[in-house]
Short mmCIF file of all heavy atoms in Angstrom, two decimals:
data_model
loop_
_atom_site.label_atom_id
_atom_site.label_comp_id
_atom_site.label_asym_id
_atom_site.label_seq_id
_atom_site.Cartn_x
_atom_site.Cartn_y
_atom_site.Cartn_z
N MET A 7 0.75 -1.21 -0.01
CA MET A 7 0.01 -0.02 -0.10
C MET A 7 0.83 1.24 0.04
O MET A 7 0.65 2.16 -0.63
CB MET A 7 -0.96 -0.03 1.21
CG MET A 7 -1.88 1.07 1.36
SD MET A 7 -3.00 1.17 -0.01
CE MET A 7 -4.00 2.67 0.41
N GLN A 8 1.96 1.21 0.83
CA GLN A 8 2.78 2.33 0.96
C GLN A 8 3.52 2.64 -0.43
O GLN A 8 3.74 3.68 -0.79
CB GLN A 8 3.67 2.26 2.04
CG GLN A 8 3.25 2.30 3.42
CD GLN A 8 4.22 2.21 4.53
OE1 GLN A 8 5.28 1.80 4.33
NE2 GLN A 8 3.84 2.53 5.79
N TRP A 9 3.93 1.54 -0.92
CA TRP A 9 4.57 1.55 -2.30
C TRP A 9 3.68 2.22 -3.30
O TRP A 9 4.08 3.00 -4.08
CB TRP A 9 4.95 0.10 -2.74
CG TRP A 9 5.71 0.20 -4.29
CD1 TRP A 9 7.00 0.45 -4.47
CD2 TRP A 9 4.98 -0.11 -5.43
NE1 TRP A 9 7.10 0.38 -5.82
CE2 TRP A 9 6.03 0.13 -6.34
CE3 TRP A 9 3.76 -0.31 -5.87
CZ2 TRP A 9 5.81 -0.14 -7.73
CZ3 TRP A 9 3.51 -0.58 -7.08
CH2 TRP A 9 4.40 -0.46 -8.14
N ALA A 10 2.32 1.81 -3.39
CA ALA A 10 1.34 2.40 -4.31
C ALA A 10 1.31 3.85 -4.13
O ALA A 10 1.21 4.72 -5.05
CB ALA A 10 0.17 1.70 -4.16
N VAL A 11 1.13 4.24 -2.89
CA VAL A 11 1.02 5.73 -2.62
C VAL A 11 2.23 6.34 -2.97
O VAL A 11 2.16 7.48 -3.72
CB VAL A 11 0.82 5.95 -1.03
CG1 VAL A 11 0.86 7.48 -0.71
CG2 VAL A 11 -0.60 5.32 -0.51
N LYS A 12 3.50 5.95 -2.69
CA LYS A 12 4.61 6.58 -3.12
C LYS A 12 4.80 6.63 -4.67
O LYS A 12 5.22 7.77 -5.26
CB LYS A 12 5.81 5.88 -2.56
CG LYS A 12 6.06 5.97 -1.23
CD LYS A 12 7.30 5.18 -0.61
CE LYS A 12 7.45 5.34 0.85
NZ LYS A 12 8.64 4.60 1.39
N THR A 13 4.31 5.65 -5.33
CA THR A 13 4.36 5.70 -6.76
C THR A 13 3.49 6.72 -7.30
O THR A 13 3.85 7.50 -8.23
CB THR A 13 3.89 4.33 -7.38
OG1 THR A 13 4.75 3.39 -6.83
CG2 THR A 13 3.91 4.28 -8.77
N LEU A 14 2.25 6.86 -6.77
CA LEU A 14 1.32 7.84 -7.27
C LEU A 14 1.90 9.26 -6.99
O LEU A 14 1.78 10.26 -7.87
CB LEU A 14 -0.04 7.75 -6.51
CG LEU A 14 -0.86 6.45 -7.01
CD1 LEU A 14 -2.14 6.41 -6.02
CD2 LEU A 14 -1.31 6.57 -8.34
N LEU A 15 2.60 9.44 -5.81
CA LEU A 15 3.08 10.79 -5.50
C LEU A 15 4.22 11.11 -6.56
O LEU A 15 4.33 12.30 -6.92
CB LEU A 15 3.70 10.68 -4.07
CG LEU A 15 2.69 10.85 -2.87
CD1 LEU A 15 3.37 10.68 -1.59
CD2 LEU A 15 1.86 12.09 -2.96
N PHE A 214 12.13 8.32 -10.77
CA PHE A 214 11.06 7.37 -10.84
C PHE A 214 11.43 5.94 -11.16
O PHE A 214 11.05 4.83 -10.49
CB PHE A 214 9.90 7.86 -11.73
CG PHE A 214 8.77 6.94 -11.70
CD1 PHE A 214 7.99 6.60 -10.71
CD2 PHE A 214 8.33 6.26 -13.03
CE1 PHE A 214 6.91 5.70 -10.66
CE2 PHE A 214 7.27 5.43 -13.08
CZ PHE A 214 6.51 5.15 -11.93
N PHE A 217 13.36 4.49 -8.31
CA PHE A 217 12.44 4.18 -7.32
C PHE A 217 11.94 2.78 -7.55
O PHE A 217 11.84 1.84 -6.68
CB PHE A 217 11.36 5.17 -7.03
CG PHE A 217 10.27 4.83 -6.02
CD1 PHE A 217 10.48 4.78 -4.68
CD2 PHE A 217 9.00 4.22 -6.62
CE1 PHE A 217 9.53 4.45 -3.88
CE2 PHE A 217 8.07 3.85 -5.69
CZ PHE A 217 8.16 3.95 -4.30
N CYS A 218 11.57 2.52 -8.81
CA CYS A 218 10.80 1.18 -9.14
C CYS A 218 11.80 0.15 -9.13
O CYS A 218 11.50 -0.95 -8.76
CB CYS A 218 10.34 1.47 -10.72
SG CYS A 218 8.92 2.47 -10.69
N ARG A 219 13.05 0.33 -9.47
CA ARG A 219 14.12 -0.76 -9.30
C ARG A 219 14.30 -1.10 -7.99
O ARG A 219 14.44 -2.28 -7.62
CB ARG A 219 15.41 -0.08 -10.13
CG ARG A 219 15.34 -0.19 -11.60
CD ARG A 219 16.74 0.00 -12.10
NE ARG A 219 17.54 1.10 -11.55
CZ ARG A 219 17.49 2.26 -12.28
NH1 ARG A 219 16.80 2.49 -13.34
NH2 ARG A 219 18.22 3.33 -11.71
N ASN A 220 14.35 -0.06 -7.10
CA ASN A 220 14.52 -0.44 -5.63
C ASN A 220 13.43 -1.24 -5.09
O ASN A 220 13.68 -2.07 -4.19
CB ASN A 220 14.79 0.89 -4.88
CG ASN A 220 16.12 1.52 -5.12
OD1 ASN A 220 17.03 0.83 -5.61
ND2 ASN A 220 16.37 2.58 -4.59
N ARG A 221 12.24 -0.83 -5.56
CA ARG A 221 11.03 -1.69 -5.09
C ARG A 221 11.12 -3.04 -5.43
O ARG A 221 10.72 -3.93 -4.60
CB ARG A 221 9.79 -0.92 -5.77
CG ARG A 221 8.54 -1.76 -5.54
CD ARG A 221 8.20 -1.92 -4.16
NE ARG A 221 7.15 -2.80 -3.95
CZ ARG A 221 6.78 -3.54 -2.84
NH1 ARG A 221 7.47 -3.41 -1.87
NH2 ARG A 221 5.72 -4.29 -2.87
N ARG A 222 11.54 -3.35 -6.64
CA ARG A 222 11.65 -4.72 -7.12
C ARG A 222 12.56 -5.63 -6.23
O ARG A 222 12.54 -6.75 -6.20
CB ARG A 222 12.00 -4.88 -8.63
CG ARG A 222 10.82 -4.40 -9.46
CD ARG A 222 11.02 -4.82 -10.94
NE ARG A 222 12.18 -4.09 -11.47
CZ ARG A 222 12.12 -2.97 -12.15
NH1 ARG A 222 10.99 -2.36 -12.32
NH2 ARG A 222 13.14 -2.33 -12.71
#
Side-chain angles (χ1 to χ4, degrees):
M7 181 66 178
Q8 290 181 346
W9 178 82
V11 172
K12 289 180 180 178
T13 302
L14 289 174
L15 288 175
F214 178 61
F217 173 77
C218 292
R219 287 196 300 270
N220 285 346
R221 168 60 188 162
R222 287 195 294 268

